[in-house]
Amino acid sequence: MNGYGLFVWSSFAFTLTNFFGLYVIINRQLIKENKKFELKFNQLEKNKYTEAYKQRTNQVLVSSNAAQKI
Amino acid sequence: MLNKIFEILKIISLSKLTRIIVFSLFVIFLTLGLFESLLLSPEDYIQSDAVRIMYVHVPAAWISLGIFSFIAFLSLGIFIFKNKNFVIIAKSFAPSGLVFNLIALVTGSIWGKPTWGTWWAWDPRITSMLVLFLFYTLYIVSWRLFENDKAAKISSLVAIAGFVNVPIIKFSVDWWASLHQPSSVKILSETTIHSSMLTPLLLMTAAFALFSVLIFLMKYNIELIKIKTKGLDRL
């Protein structure tokens, strides 16, 4: 790198570290919120569960969390 | 029509397959971009290998500017259409925009040392990028400080006010004496950068854009789940 290695590598390393850090933070939040939803959904009474399951977004979330009662 | 688009976006963002596809594309473009920018692209005749910092600095600056402009555009939509989907989309783009802004500032500072002999200068473009960083921070902090509806209004106002800074960043090199050179990559006129340097620049830009889409999808997913979890209480 003709003596510029420290500057070049540190720039790329800083960028990739930030990517990794942001991905990990957002992924953790996603898992946490998924778990919260799953827990609440599974605690619903049967009639409320059926009503909630009618909503398309809930169906997608439930199926992706594998927390189906129906 | 708008609601149909938002419904499709919801289903796409909730699908794991979408995230897997975007993530795979990101890895492919990043690998190609790194290979091109660190190994294949030539060194500059004046800056030598220090020019390689451009391949992370410039795409990060472009993406952070693009995201903020999009957030400002959506924020305007919030006031015009009173549609909450605009709020969620704008909010979900902010974290990656802030990180790209930080990357642009830090890598610019690292690049400044070997080329200008200083880590920091109160150059018009650097200063206006720092102002953008403050607007990004204000936008995100306003979501933490205020309740939902109030936060949506205040953050939107911050984004619209901050948008004034975007043309200042773009034209700062033309309006004032600047350490930065004028744009080499142009949409409306001829690009003055050689293809051997343009290729890694575009590959890295594509990789960064894909990363911001990936983070957006995940964050949008989080916001939807939060709304749906609250909705379960109201049943």
Side-chain angles (χ1 to χ4, degrees):
Chain A
M1 290 279 167
N2 292 319
Y4 295 106
L6 185 67
F7 300 106
V8 175
W9 291 117
S10 57
S11 295
F12 278 78
F14 181 80
T15 304
L16 296 178
T17 309
N18 269 276
F19 279 13
F20 181 73
L22 183 63
Y23 181 82
V24 168
I25 291 168
I26 299 287
N27 199 38
R28 270 189 196 161
Q29 277 181 17
L30 184 59
I31 292 167
K32 196 176 118 190
E33 292 302 327
N34 252 327
K35 275 185 185 166
K36 263 191 208 172
F37 177 83
E38 198 178 310
L39 194 73
K40 259 197 183 170
F41 204 89
N42 283 327
Q43 282 171 349
L44 288 174
E45 292 161 19
K46 185 80 181 173
N47 58 335
K48 284 182 178 178
Y49 187 97
T50 315
E51 200 185 321
Y53 197 78
K54 282 176 189 164
Q55 291 179 27
R56 202 171 167 191
T57 315
N58 285 346
Q59 282 175 23
V60 178
L61 280 173
V62 170
S63 61
S64 65
N65 289 348
Q68 293 177 68
K69 264 189 188 175
I70 297 169
Chain B
M1 176 69 183
L2 259 180
N3 284 334
K4 263 192 177 176
I5 295 169
F6 289 132
E7 195 56 39
I8 293 166
L9 181 66
K10 264 183 206 171
I11 301 303
I12 290 172
S13 76
L14 288 171
S15 156
K16 256 189 179 170
L17 181 69
T18 316
R19 270 181 276 149
I20 291 168
I21 292 169
V22 175
F23 184 77
S24 308
L25 284 171
F26 161 66
V27 172
I28 292 167
F29 274 93
L30 185 71
T31 310
L32 289 171
L34 288 174
F35 189 68
E36 276 274 351
S37 53
L38 291 170
L39 299 170
L40 294 183
S41 71
E43 58 187 73
D44 185 67
Y45 77 109
I46 296 173
Q47 295 189 40
S48 185
D49 280 302
V51 77
R52 295 183 199 282
I53 300 170
M54 171 177 74
Y55 304 123
V56 284
H57 172 73
V58 174
W62 282 346
I63 302 285
S64 70
L65 270 175
I67 289 177
F68 197 87
S69 305
F70 191 55
I71 290 174
F73 173 74
L74 289 168
S75 299
L76 211 60
I78 291 165
F79 288 112
I80 296 168
F81 300 104
K82 314 269 182 214
N83 192 317
K84 282 197 171 174
N85 286 294
F86 283 107
V87 181
I88 308 168
I89 297 170
K91 190 183 175 188
S92 307
F93 265 112
S96 57
L98 177 79
V99 166
F100 279 118
N101 198 158
L102 179 70
I103 291 169
L105 283 171
V106 173
T107 56
S109 174
I110 297 171
W111 197 7
K113 185 64 184 165
T115 49
W116 302 330
T118 180
W119 296 103
W120 186 265
W122 292 102
D123 169 87
R125 179 160 279 177
I126 304 171
T127 310
S128 48
M129 277 303 278
L130 182 67
V131 171
L132 184 72
F133 184 78
L134 294 176
F135 271 108
Y136 261 123
T137 311
L138 264 177
Y139 182 87
I140 290 170
V141 167
S142 64
W143 276 105
R144 297 210 168 238
L145 289 181
F146 303 102
E147 289 298 313
N148 275 346
D149 284 344
K150 207 176 178 186
K153 275 183 191 164
I154 292 171
S155 62
S156 301
L157 285 173
V158 168
I160 293 165
F163 185 69
V164 175
N165 187 43
V166 174
I168 296 175
I169 297 170
K170 167 79 180 126
F171 297 109
S172 57
V173 289
D174 304 318
W175 292 343
W176 298 290
S178 174
L179 290 166
H180 280 82
Q181 63 178 62
S183 302
S184 305
V185 181
K186 296 163 192 162
I187 298 169
L188 298 174
S189 53
E190 203 184 337
T191 297
T192 52
I193 186 169
H194 193 265
S195 60
S196 58
M197 288 180 167
L198 185 63
T199 307
L201 193 61
L202 293 181
L203 279 170
M204 290 299 271
T205 306
F208 285 20
L210 284 163
F211 182 75
S212 64
V213 170
L214 177 72
I215 296 298
F216 160 74
L217 288 172
M218 291 165 78
K219 183 75 180 153
Y220 186 69
N221 212 329
I222 292 168
E223 296 303 323
L224 285 181
I225 296 169
K226 277 184 186 171
I227 292 167
K228 286 291 161 189
T229 311
K230 268 187 192 169
L232 293 179
D233 291 332
R234 288 190 222 112
L235 283 169

